Amino acid sequence: MLINILFYVFSATLIGAALGVVLARNSVHSAMFLVLAFFTSSGLWLLMGAEFLAIVLVLVYVGAVMVLFLFVVMMLDINTAQMREGFTRYAPLGLVIALIMIAEIAYVVYYRHLDLNAELLVAPTTAVAVSNTKSLGAVLYTQYAYPFQLAAVLLLIAIVAAITLTMRARPNLKKQDISAQVAVGKADRLQIVQVASEKRP
Amino acid sequence: MSLLGLYNSLAVSEQVALIKTVQIIGVLLAVVICVAFMTLAERKVIGWIQGRIGPNRVTLFGIPFTEGLGQPFADVVKLLFKEIILPANADKVLFLLAPMIALVPAFATWAVVPFSPEFVLADIDAGLLYVLALTSLGVYGIILAGWATNSKYALLGALRSAAQIVAYEIAMGFALVGVLMASGSLNLSDIVRSQAGALGWNVVWLAPLAVIYFISGVAETNRAPFDVAEGESEIVAGFHVEYSGATFATLFALPEYANMILIATLTSVMFFGGWLSPFDGYLGAGSLLSQPSFLWLAIKIVFFLFCFLWFRATFPRYRYDQIMRLGWKVFIPLTLIWIFVEGLMVYWHIGPWHR
């Protein structure tokens, strides 16, 4: 009963937030709606018993990705009138893409529905006593160890590529060598001079 | 009688929900009261360190010999009655929403903190992940406040603060990976239980990680010496320049102090045995001093909170590039190295991993 209410509340919020992402005029508001969308979908996953995925969604997307995204969006100076110019021209293309995506989702849902046996429909999570995280880890580091490593290497390559693309040597840059600053000792800065005292006249 | 009868007439699940609600309100009230007295303790302790007296006028509801104890309540009343100013060019909705967004993660994280062997609000399996996820949300309040204010100083403060929090969060996460490896569980109660016995505390084998975690915690909460986000000599007050009255209290004071108490609690739980007694494993199991209790946790929390104040009174403010260097170039490599060392210790069964 309570779970049903929560499900509908989360779903309604999710759909509202998703609409907000597209319809909001201000791009920072759009980004915040996206954060809300991530949050509510994480809530939906929690209701399904996928606690690890739900928390990792918040940790990775809301906690890291969206923060950087918000940074970028806040710095942009967007002229909304200019952005809206090509709207009617691109609308048919956008509609086609949206329809294809809806068809794909519908296909997956329908296909899954055919495959579902009655056993899975009844409380899929409570059957397993092992925690969500543990069971995921058990598969990830044994059966899927190589794909997992491959994904990690792929991310590493992306990081290296991004850094090489943006890093450029600037020859005349004035820099402070912090290690040298930190390593400075008394002997480098302080000189004790013995000054002979004035002779009494 | 009638209330008890009403309670008994409820279904078991409803009774549990009622008890949980009461517990949640109790924990939140306790945190808020601790925050109130933390502000007083800060002014008193720093006063003593600097050879001053600190607040010593307002009594607690006129009771004699409580001079100074009423100061937090006087401050709260003062802040609530002040006018809330909305800057003309501010984004009104986000300007008022930001303090609330800052407040939620600071309070919600308390759900998984194990206070004693018996009492924890939500004993969930992925507790450690939950803590990481919620502490990573604290930055939103600051970014949004800075942006919505629509002022240069606020935006600069928000950017500084956000970059700093993002940098130190990674080091914190890696330090907790070490804890996870040592305890073999994401459940905070299990993490505490795994530290039982002589030399059992995680700090013994993970000392570098413990130090890094606590220092990163100080940086996360934007406390001195890492408080460039509000560096008053450069950017006036950073992200909360335009906030006044109650919005100032909820954006700035409440989350900052609640987060300080949270970091102190988490450091005790992750590395210093939480509610375990420091004499556990040295004195006999029957000894009164070696019993696990909330009191031990409270003593550890108070010690770490004192460290926060001690740092503030002792160290000068870091320069911004030095903060970034410390986070990215010192702490993150150090945690990675220690995780590797820990892996070797696990592999060769050294230390607590000899079984």
Side-chain angles (χ1 to χ4, degrees):
Chain A
M1 175 59 189
L2 187 67
I3 290 200
N4 281 339
I5 295 174
L6 278 177
F7 173 79
Y8 284 113
V9 169
F10 277 137
S11 306
T13 320
L14 178 55
I15 293 171
L19 284 175
V21 175
V22 188
L23 297 178
R25 277 163 182 266
N26 190 321
S27 45
V28 171
H29 292 178
S30 281
M32 286 318 289
F33 273 122
L34 193 55
V35 168
L36 184 62
F38 280 137
F39 227 93
T40 38
S41 44
S42 141
L44 282 177
W45 280 0
L46 265 186
L47 286 184
M48 287 191 276
E51 55 175 32
F52 179 78
L53 288 178
I55 295 176
V56 163
L57 178 76
V58 172
L59 179 61
V60 174
Y61 282 94
V62 181
V65 173
M66 283 313 291
V67 172
L68 299 180
F69 205 79
L70 207 59
F71 255 112
V72 176
V73 164
M74 270 162 43
M75 297 291 141
L76 290 178
D77 185 23
I78 301 173
N79 187 351
T80 37
Q82 208 177 4
M83 293 288 288
R84 235 179 282 270
E85 238 170 41
F87 183 73
T88 41
R89 196 147 60 90
Y90 295 121
L93 185 66
L95 266 178
V96 169
I97 292 175
L99 281 177
I100 290 174
M101 283 175 76
I102 289 172
E104 278 175 354
I105 293 170
Y107 176 71
V108 170
V109 169
Y110 179 69
Y111 196 70
R112 276 292 186 78
H113 182 72
L114 288 182
D115 262 7
L116 275 183
N117 50 36
E119 205 177 321
L120 270 173
L121 272 173
V122 183
T125 47
T126 47
V128 202
V130 187
S131 90
N132 210 294
T133 321
K134 217 169 220 168
S135 46
L136 204 68
V139 200
L140 205 59
Y141 294 109
T142 52
Q143 202 179 339
Y144 297 109
Y146 289 118
F148 182 68
Q149 304 254 323
L150 214 62
V153 171
L154 204 67
L155 283 175
L156 185 68
I157 292 173
I159 294 173
V160 172
I163 292 174
T164 34
L165 279 177
T166 50
M167 203 156 85
R168 55 193 196 281
R170 282 183 287 178
N172 296 324
L173 201 64
K174 279 182 185 163
K175 260 197 219 159
Q176 282 159 327
D177 185 358
I178 302 184
S179 309
Q181 289 180 338
V182 171
V184 153
K186 196 165 71 176
D188 304 320
R189 292 280 167 86
L190 202 68
Q191 193 187 7
I192 296 184
V193 184
Q194 287 290 345
V195 182
S197 56
E198 193 88 350
K199 286 279 182 307
R200 196 169 289 181
Chain B
M1 169 56 209
S2 62
L3 272 179
L4 195 67
L6 197 67
Y7 176 75
N8 285 332
S9 69
L10 294 171
V12 178
S13 64
E14 288 166 339
Q15 286 182 352
V16 169
L18 196 70
I19 292 174
K20 277 287 171 207
T21 314
V22 171
Q23 285 177 344
I24 290 169
I25 294 172
V27 168
L28 285 186
L29 274 181
V31 171
V32 170
I33 289 172
C34 285
V35 165
F37 281 105
M38 187 66 204
T39 58
L40 176 68
E42 172 164 42
R43 294 164 71 178
K44 271 289 189 194
V45 168
I46 293 180
W48 286 328
I49 289 177
Q50 297 171 344
R52 297 183 282 113
I53 294 171
N56 67 337
R57 290 284 170 233
V58 189
T59 56
L60 203 58
F61 310 114
I63 305 165
F65 306 115
T66 57
E67 281 87 357
L69 280 181
Q71 191 66 44
F73 301 101
D75 286 342
V76 167
V77 171
K78 180 196 76 173
L79 283 170
L80 286 183
F81 279 104
K82 274 190 166 180
E83 182 186 358
I84 297 173
I85 296 164
L86 281 174
N89 287 327
D91 186 320
K92 302 277 185 312
V93 180
L94 284 182
F95 187 82
L96 292 176
L97 205 62
M100 298 170 207
I101 292 178
L103 200 57
V104 169
F107 280 156
T109 321
W110 289 93
V112 293
V113 172
F115 291 100
S116 78
E118 298 84 26
F119 184 59
V120 46
L121 285 178
D123 203 11
I124 60 173
D125 277 333
L128 195 68
L129 277 175
Y130 177 84
V131 166
L132 278 175
L134 278 185
T135 46
S136 69
L137 296 183
V139 66
Y140 276 100
I142 292 171
I143 298 189
L144 287 179
W147 182 81
T149 305
N150 210 350
S151 138
K152 289 188 188 73
Y153 291 133
L155 188 64
L156 278 174
L159 288 182
R160 282 185 176 197
S161 163
Q164 176 182 332
I165 290 179
V166 169
Y168 280 88
E169 218 169 69
I170 300 171
M172 271 178 119
F174 277 139
L176 292 185
V177 168
V179 174
L180 168 64
M181 281 169 73
S183 305
S185 172
L186 286 167
N187 182 310
L188 292 192
S189 300
D190 285 347
I191 288 175
V192 174
R193 259 177 237 119
S194 75
Q195 302 179 46
L199 289 183
W201 288 6
N202 278 337
V203 68
V204 176
W205 299 95
L206 308 176
L209 296 184
V211 172
I212 288 175
Y213 183 81
F214 188 59
I215 297 178
S216 303
V218 177
E220 272 285 280
T221 44
N222 282 325
R223 291 287 299 179
F226 303 103
D227 59 345
V228 289
E230 56 198 75
E232 53 279 89
S233 54
E234 305 136 34
I235 49 173
V236 195
F239 57 92
H240 57 81
V241 224
E242 299 287 354
Y243 281 87
S244 61
T247 52
F248 171 77
T250 45
L251 170 70
F252 173 61
L254 254 181
E256 179 174 326
Y257 286 87
N259 275 327
M260 274 164 67
I261 302 174
L262 186 70
I263 294 289
T265 312
L266 288 177
T267 313
S268 335
V269 166
M270 304 287 178
F271 296 99
F272 292 85
W275 35 255
L276 287 171
S277 156
F279 304 104
D280 182 34
Y282 303 106
L283 299 176
S287 167
L288 191 66
L289 274 177
S290 62
Q291 298 306 313
S293 145
F294 170 71
L295 285 178
W296 295 121
L297 180 63
I299 291 171
K300 292 167 193 171
I301 295 173
V302 168
F303 172 73
F304 287 113
L305 284 177
F306 180 75
C307 286
F308 270 99
L309 308 181
W310 196 1
F311 291 163
R312 179 169 168 191
T314 309
F315 298 122
R317 188 178 285 148
Y318 256 77
R319 212 172 60 204
Y320 193 69
D321 58 329
Q322 288 174 332
I323 292 184
M324 282 296 152
R325 172 179 172 272
L326 186 70
W328 288 104
K329 292 188 180 171
V330 178
F331 279 179
I332 293 176
L334 260 180
T335 46
L336 284 175
I337 289 169
W338 202 258
I339 287 173
F340 185 69
V341 171
E342 197 186 347
L344 292 182
M345 288 200 284
V346 174
Y347 187 72
W348 283 319
H349 303 285
I350 303 171
W353 296 281
H354 59 74
R355 59 219 166 221

